[in-house]
Amino acid sequence: MSNLKYGIMGGTFNPIHNAHIRMAEEVRDILDLDKIIFIPTGTPPHKNNLNIDALDRYEMTKLAISGNDKFEVSDIEVLNKGVSYTVETVGKLKEFYPNVEFYFITGADSILDIYKWKNPEKLLSLCKFVSVKRPNYSDDLEAKIKEIVDKFGGEILLVDGPLLNISSTEIRERVREGRPIYDFVPQKVADYIKENKLYIKWI
């Protein structure tokens, strides 16, 4: 029986930025994970009109993690032509890696919306959740997480997040306005956005 522990970082990554990378690094260190798998969404159920091709988001993610042998990127959702649900993605990963323990990494704000996710009870039975809290997180966050576990079962770990206040929305706005983004994303990602003229016609 393998004792390998893999983290899952899912998201639209539109674009992936330095806070995503730092979050993954810190969680990997805190929980001593063997690997982090980044999974850009294909067609996410809760975000529409992304305007950027899924393959572009996949390529940016691949560029962002290049050089880190503890990180890898999966196209499991990008290649899915239908809507991607986390419970189905994690189920497939469990089939690919039957002896690996999975930790799904997400922000504290996202975990509080798990009631809206497809089959949260099954999802929490497939993997542990790692909820990354912001520095100014709500005092009742732990109580809300306990309510989720009491309702659906499973295990949700609460860890401190990096002190980086970066959002993909801000990055897209900066690109559209012609302002630099090199402090927000890895160099290779900034170059890819510039070379491919992404986000310029963002609406």
Side-chain angles (χ1 to χ4, degrees):
M1 183 76 176
S2 172
N3 292 319
L4 290 175
K5 300 189 300 184
Y6 287 3
I8 301 171
M9 278 280 290
T12 52
F13 299 135
N14 193 30
I16 190 168
H17 53 65
N18 293 336
H20 291 132
I21 303 300
R22 281 284 305 280
M23 180 189 297
E25 289 174 342
E26 293 202 14
V27 171
R28 189 186 68 79
D29 288 342
I30 291 169
L31 300 179
D32 193 27
L33 302 180
D34 296 283
K35 183 183 292 185
I36 302 284
I37 302 175
F38 289 76
I39 305 181
T41 56
T43 304
H46 303 303
K47 292 188 178 182
N48 299 315
N49 302 319
L50 288 176
N51 273 350
I52 295 298
D53 191 273
L55 289 176
D56 280 319
R57 294 184 286 106
Y58 172 80
E59 287 298 328
M60 286 189 286
T61 304
K62 188 162 67 171
L63 288 170
I65 67 171
S66 62
N68 190 326
D69 62 358
K70 298 295 185 181
F71 290 172
E72 70 176 53
V73 59
S74 170
D75 59 7
I76 187 172
E77 290 196 356
V78 169
L79 297 180
N80 179 17
K81 299 303 181 183
V83 173
S84 298
Y85 292 98
T86 302
V87 65
E88 294 169 358
T89 298
V90 176
K92 290 176 183 176
L93 289 176
K94 294 281 285 184
E95 293 176 5
F96 296 157
Y97 306 100
N99 297 322
V100 170
E101 186 175 24
F102 283 101
Y103 294 74
F104 192 91
I105 305 164
T106 186
D109 49 348
S110 295
I111 194 66
L112 297 181
D113 282 336
I114 199 167
Y115 297 94
K116 303 175 185 177
W117 295 23
K118 182 176 181 179
N119 205 337
E121 186 172 10
K122 181 180 179 181
L123 177 57
L124 281 160
S125 74
L126 292 174
C127 64
K128 295 181 180 180
F129 265 71
V130 183
S131 180
V132 182
K133 61 188 181 185
R134 301 177 188 274
N136 58 344
Y137 79 101
S138 166
D139 290 338
D140 62 351
L141 178 60
E142 293 182 23
K144 290 179 178 178
I145 286 178
K146 184 179 183 302
E147 289 177 7
I148 293 171
V149 173
D150 288 345
K151 181 176 178 63
F152 298 119
E155 184 175 353
I156 301 174
L157 309 174
L158 192 59
V159 301
D160 291 318
L163 300 175
L164 290 179
N165 188 21
I166 302 174
S167 76
S168 295
T169 300
E170 179 184 3
I171 293 167
R172 296 193 300 265
E173 289 174 351
R174 291 182 71 91
V175 172
R176 190 176 66 240
E177 294 167 1
R179 293 187 289 159
I181 58 171
Y182 290 99
D183 290 338
F184 299 83
V185 300
Q187 176 83 41
K188 292 179 180 178
V189 174
D191 291 343
Y192 185 92
I193 290 171
K194 182 177 180 180
E195 291 166 7
N196 293 277
K197 298 180 172 57
L198 302 184
Y199 306 119
I200 292 176
K201 294 182 180 180
W202 184 268
I203 298 175

